[in-house]
Amino acid sequence: MILETAVLSIKPGQETEFETAMKMAKPLIAASDGFQDMEVRANLDVPGQYLLLVWWDSVDDHEQGFRGSQRYGRWKELLHHFYDPFPTVEHFGGSITPGKTAIYDKIGIGYDNTRAPDPRIADRLVELMAPGDNARILDIACGTANYTGMLARRGMDMTGLDLSATMLQAARSTNPDLPLIQGSVDAMPLPGNSFDNVMCTLAIHHFPDLGKAFTEIARVLRGDRFVFFTATGEQTARYWLANYFPDAVKRASELDPSVDAIKEALKVAGFHRFEFVNWDVPENLKDLFAYAGKDNPELYFTEGIMDGISLFSNLAHEDEMASGLKALRADIDSGHWQSVRQQYDHDQGDYCFVVAEK
């Protein structure tokens, strides 16, 4: 594996437009043979400057493959007019230090203690997938197979796939007869046209690249409907949690794909029809993900709750966690939290189901 790097200097005042364009352009490069992953990071010391990092199988995959494709023409149209000066691209070899383990290997231990499947989410998934009789359903990034197992117990023909060995070990302990496969969503060890439906719950923000992942999903999907449950970046940014954990919520909203990025990735993958169905957190939610405490802030003081939520376990620094919980505790006790909660009211949904069809 090789690493492509470039320092991108953006014309003054055009940073926001550049970031939007980059999110739209990412599926174009991700559809290339040999593409592995990509990151764009803002320079904290130099305003308007960004570091582009792209991992490839080989230099030729970048120089000959992507740059020789029609997608590169669209990439140039979206991005090149922002640069001043035009960047120099360099390629580097493999790392001389070990890489990080999968995020969910870190939070997988004890995950089931707080992340029980909620029947209302399962019901909505089934309703939107509308599977036919004897349909084979693949659950992508199934984690500990909570939703996979729940639907299997309802008589559905389920298969789960996840990258994390820790998650799958926990899944097999509670679902010994469930077909579970370890693999990456962007290179699934599965034959094409092998599933009637594909589903996914709260995981697309961890995919290395949406375009490549959605293309793989389209490859294994012999039916025409892929349904996933997620939060868009726009929705996450509206959580009242931002009042107490601003840096973590900002990072999460940047990791959660925007509506436009999801649409672009689906189009690249060959999904031509898609619908966003907004969903608000209900009372007594069983699956305690990030905004489960929307109307019950005491939930965030429950022992172990933060360990199963990547927004807190992976994106919040220790100091921010301590100060945020202290401020939240004070606002709950004084009653001021209700005022904070009202400031973040909106009608755009806390999460959404996305229904995509080929």
Side-chain angles (χ1 to χ4, degrees):
M1 184 184 297
I2 63 97
L3 174 63
E4 169 200 350
T5 71
V7 175
L8 311 178
S9 297
I10 307 305
K11 296 174 182 177
Q14 297 187 17
E15 292 85 359
T16 299
E17 291 83 355
F18 163 73
E19 292 181 9
T20 299
M22 179 59 78
K23 291 174 182 177
M24 295 176 63
K26 188 175 180 182
L28 299 170
I29 193 171
S32 305
D33 289 341
F35 173 89
Q36 293 293 332
D37 198 1
M38 170 181 158
E39 294 182 9
V40 181
R41 303 184 182 187
N43 191 329
L44 301 180
D45 301 314
V46 182
Q49 193 174 88
Y50 296 79
L51 177 64
L52 171 69
L53 304 168
V54 187
W55 286 264
W56 298 93
D57 287 345
S58 70
V59 174
D60 283 348
D61 286 327
H62 173 221
E63 296 286 353
Q64 308 301 322
F66 175 55
R67 287 192 169 181
S69 69
Q70 292 182 345
R71 294 187 311 280
Y72 183 58
R74 175 61 175 152
W75 171 278
K76 292 193 293 183
E77 291 175 4
L78 284 170
L79 298 173
H80 283 197
H81 61 92
F82 289 108
Y83 304 148
D84 184 22
F86 199 79
T88 298
V89 175
E90 298 180 303
H91 298 95
F92 293 84
S95 173
I96 61 174
T97 58
K100 63 181 180 180
T101 59
I103 288 175
Y104 273 108
D105 275 342
K106 176 181 177 182
I107 68 174
I109 300 173
Y111 186 79
D112 282 347
N113 294 340
T114 59
R115 299 300 301 272
D118 192 280
R120 290 162 291 189
I121 294 175
D123 291 344
R124 197 73 168 118
L125 285 166
V126 173
E127 177 187 351
L128 294 172
M129 283 192 295
D133 294 339
N134 302 314
R136 294 191 69 207
I137 302 173
L138 175 65
D139 187 4
I140 296 290
C142 67
T144 58
N146 284 336
Y147 287 96
T148 332
M150 174 175 275
L151 296 188
R153 288 187 290 275
R154 294 183 182 183
M156 298 183 185
D157 185 356
M158 302 295 300
T159 298
L161 178 137
D162 200 274
L163 182 62
S164 168
T166 302
M167 287 289 194
L168 290 177
Q169 182 179 7
R172 292 187 177 104
S173 69
T174 55
N175 302 276
D177 298 324
L178 192 63
L180 297 169
I181 302 166
Q182 185 173 7
S184 173
V185 67
D186 56 11
M188 292 186 277
L190 296 167
N193 302 312
S194 51
F195 291 92
D196 299 290
N197 297 97
V198 176
M199 59 175 265
C200 179
T201 58
L202 298 175
I204 68 168
H205 57 293
H206 288 306
F207 293 173
D209 187 270
L210 279 186
K212 196 164 187 177
F214 288 173
T215 298
E216 268 291 272
I217 289 167
R219 180 184 67 81
V220 303
L221 184 61
R222 68 175 172 231
D224 67 355
R225 187 163 292 190
F226 165 41
V227 177
F228 55 97
F229 179 54
T230 189
T232 66
E234 295 91 337
Q235 289 173 322
T236 303
R238 298 188 181 103
Y239 294 170
W240 61 254
L241 293 168
N243 192 74
Y244 303 97
F245 311 98
D247 291 343
V249 172
K250 184 176 186 295
R251 293 187 191 100
S253 68
E254 292 170 347
L255 284 174
D256 288 332
S258 68
V259 171
D260 285 344
I262 291 171
K263 289 180 177 179
E264 185 72 19
L266 288 170
K267 289 177 183 177
V268 167
F271 291 97
H272 302 297
R273 298 181 300 278
F274 32 83
E275 178 185 8
F276 289 73
V277 181
N278 287 335
W279 186 86
D280 291 315
V281 172
E283 294 183 356
N284 302 315
L285 188 70
K286 294 184 179 298
D287 193 351
L288 303 182
F289 40 74
Y291 211 31
K294 172 186 175 181
D295 294 310
N296 177 23
E298 291 285 358
L299 182 70
Y300 298 109
F301 295 91
T302 303
E303 183 178 359
I305 186 71
M306 302 301 199
D307 295 338
I309 300 173
S310 60
L311 185 152
F312 296 112
S313 63
N314 289 290
L315 301 179
H317 298 305
E318 185 175 344
D319 290 346
E320 183 181 25
M321 286 293 297
S323 62
L325 287 172
K326 181 178 179 180
L328 178 57
R329 178 75 274 161
D331 282 355
I332 294 172
D333 293 344
S334 70
H336 179 63
W337 173 80
Q338 290 289 352
S339 176
V340 173
R341 166 72 177 81
Q342 290 173 6
Q343 292 173 23
Y344 285 84
D345 274 345
H346 63 86
D347 60 359
Q348 302 302 308
D350 303 321
Y351 294 84
C352 63
F353 292 87
V354 182
V355 183
E357 298 180 342
K358 293 196 291 185

